[in-house]
Amino acid sequence: MPNEYFNPVRSVYGAGALSSLPELLAGRRALLVTFPEARALGLVGRIEQLLGDRLAGVIDDVRPNPDVAELRALYEAFWRDADAAELIVAVGGGSAIDTAKALMVGTASGRFGDLVAALAAGKAFVPARSKMLIAVPTTAGTGSEVTPWATIWDRERQLKHSLHLKETWPSIALIDPELMLSLPPSVTLQSGLDALSHALESIWNVNANPVSDVFAVAAVHEILVTLPLLMAQPGEIDLRGRMALAALKAGMAFSNTRTALAHSISYEMTLRYGLPHGIACSFPLPMVLERALGRRADRDAVLRQALGGPLDDAPRRLTAFIERLGVKTRFADYGVSDEQADRMVAHALTGARGRNFIGANARETA
Ligand SMILES: NC(=O)c1ccc[n+]([C@@H]2O[C@H](COP(=O)([O-])OP(=O)(O)OC[C@H]3O[C@@H](n4cnc5c(N)ncnc54)[C@H](O)[C@@H]3O)[C@@H](O)[C@H]2O)c1
Ligand SMILES: [Fe+2]
């Protein structure tokens, strides 16, 4: 089978890049979807000034981990007044961008329940109508600005849905590291580790290809060097820019492979134990790395490029890296017993993301 790499997102990036927004809108009317702190930070005011009467409305109460219960009213109001905006500008972290991805695909009825029912049944959802998306990340982590993936949570039923359609690719990723200067240390850390997880998960992945590998290796190199420096100097725009680019590269990598076992484990850790996504998908990385090594010679070679040094020592070095940043790497540290952890990992291996892991299936073993 030939290899294939595909990513249709136009990326525009650099400090100050937000001022290109009017040009990128090219006269179209946009709805702004953003996070609650954006108004006090002056970001909503700045966008109102930049867009003037091209701004059709503002949704600024997107909370972390968009949930079906919160999305319903937003979605139905958006599609009731469908002509108000031609596109959505999402300014925020993964939560704001994923909210916009849920909004941008319209059901024929305008009811959100029809979309959720299709996701829950694992049925192909064909939007009756859709809007375009300009994604402006304010965290350096999820890579959602260059992927079609959106995570939609259902806390009440203790599950998460994955929305991904050809319509949910953003048209443009507008990446301005100046917008990341206001991130609190906890979110800088969580989102940075999320990006590391995306890069590594795209390597120990049955869908890896030579182009996704190039993005992943570059992202791992950059994050291992930059994240500790950034935690020490969070106001350094140069470091913010490097992390933003690293998260973008990790996004480019897993836009083609999806994630794997660490993310599969993370969903339960977030739903049942309340861990933020970036911690939930990064604390198991050394354990997953240990399981990945020796499975496939080609994956070992790419992991060696990414992590350097002798590979048998790589899990220890990755543990030390994560723990030096103040994140514990054992299940027991999060109140999960060995028995519960074994069950969780076994279950995660059978999930959609878990099955992407090269160690999930004996046939994948080299
Ligand atoms: N679509 C994908 O491929 C993908 C990948 C990974 C994670 N996710 C999802 O993304 C979400 C996590 O996204 P995230 O890590 O970017 O965090 P987030 O969007 O949840 O934001 C975290 C917190 O930081 C605040 N915040 C964001 N930007 C800020 C800024 N510039 N200044 C000050 N505060 C700011 C938010 O209001 C929020 O309180 C999770 O729901 C996760 O499931 C999606
Ligand atoms: Fe993630």
Side-chain angles (χ1 to χ4, degrees):
M1 285 285 281
N3 284 303
E4 181 175 329
Y5 180 88
F6 174 76
N7 192 306
V9 184
R10 173 180 172 197
S11 302
V12 178
Y13 51 91
L18 182 67
S19 48
S20 325
L21 194 53
E23 214 176 292
L24 297 173
L25 274 191
R28 292 168 297 185
R29 286 170 62 78
L31 172 78
L32 172 64
V33 174
T34 192
F35 58 102
E37 299 90 330
R39 199 170 280 277
L41 288 167
L43 192 50
V44 172
R46 190 163 159 222
I47 292 170
E48 283 169 344
Q49 246 182 3
L50 278 170
L51 301 190
D53 66 359
R54 301 289 85 195
L55 185 61
V58 180
I59 294 173
D60 64 356
D61 54 356
V62 175
R63 287 171 206 287
N65 299 341
D67 192 277
V68 289
E70 297 151 5
L71 285 171
R72 180 165 292 109
L74 287 183
Y75 184 93
E76 295 183 357
F78 177 68
W79 285 104
R80 257 196 309 275
D81 194 14
D83 294 335
E86 294 156 271
L87 54 74
I88 302 176
V89 176
V91 179
S95 296
I97 299 176
D98 287 6
T99 295
K101 287 179 180 172
L103 292 183
M104 72 196 280
V105 283
T107 54
S109 63
R111 277 195 301 270
F112 186 58
D114 295 354
L115 169 55
V116 176
L119 294 177
K123 282 199 199 133
F125 170 67
V126 182
R129 47 210 169 141
S130 59
K131 302 284 177 182
M132 285 195 288
L133 171 63
I134 297 183
V136 187
T138 62
T139 61
T142 71
S144 189
E145 65 276 16
V146 285
T147 77
W149 326 126
T151 307
I152 299 180
W153 300 85
D154 185 340
R155 278 186 283 276
E156 196 188 314
R157 294 169 60 212
Q158 288 276 294
L159 45 88
K160 73 106 195 159
H161 302 290
S162 178
L163 172 68
H164 50 90
L165 299 169
K166 65 178 178 6
E167 290 84 357
T168 50
W169 285 102
S171 304
I172 301 174
L174 177 59
I175 299 139
D176 184 344
E178 284 179 1
L179 307 182
M180 297 162 193
L181 288 169
S182 56
L183 278 178
S186 58
V187 184
T188 302
L189 176 62
Q190 290 156 17
S191 48
L193 288 173
D194 188 22
L196 177 64
S197 184
H198 297 155
L200 288 170
E201 294 250 276
S202 77
I203 299 176
W204 52 57
N205 197 304
V206 295
N207 304 312
N209 67 56
V211 179
S212 65
D213 284 345
V214 170
F215 284 120
V217 167
V220 173
H221 285 170
E222 195 64 90
I223 294 166
L224 292 181
V225 173
T226 310
L227 189 54
L229 296 175
L230 179 59
M231 292 312 295
Q233 303 170 75
E236 194 48 68
I237 185 68
D238 225 46
L239 296 173
R240 289 280 179 198
R242 280 164 54 182
M243 267 311 291
L245 263 185
L248 174 78
K249 289 175 194 169
M252 302 286 262
F254 93 106
S255 70
N256 275 239
T257 62
R258 307 190 180 182
T259 52
L261 180 57
H263 273 72
S264 191
I265 292 167
S266 80
Y267 302 129
E268 192 168 343
M269 292 301 291
T270 295
L271 285 166
R272 287 188 46 191
Y273 295 84
L275 282 193
H277 175 71
I279 303 300
C281 71
S282 61
F283 89 84
L285 287 174
M287 181 273 287
V288 177
L289 173 61
E290 211 153 327
R291 285 172 176 255
L293 292 177
R295 298 274 175 184
R296 280 179 35 176
D298 67 321
R299 299 297 87 205
D300 279 359
V302 179
L303 286 168
R304 192 175 293 109
Q305 280 178 39
L307 296 167
L311 265 191
D312 53 3
D313 185 44
R316 188 197 58 76
R317 283 181 282 122
L318 186 58
T319 303
F321 173 81
I322 295 171
E323 297 221 339
R324 265 201 304 272
L325 290 168
V327 176
K328 301 270 192 240
T329 54
R330 294 172 318 149
F331 279 100
D333 299 319
Y334 300 96
V336 182
S337 70
D338 288 354
E339 232 177 44
Q340 286 169 316
D342 288 346
R343 262 204 310 273
M344 201 186 291
V345 173
H347 180 68
L349 280 165
T350 66
R353 300 292 170 271
R355 292 196 302 273
N356 291 337
F357 178 56
I358 52 169
N361 184 330
R363 278 172 302 167
E364 300 297 334
T365 307

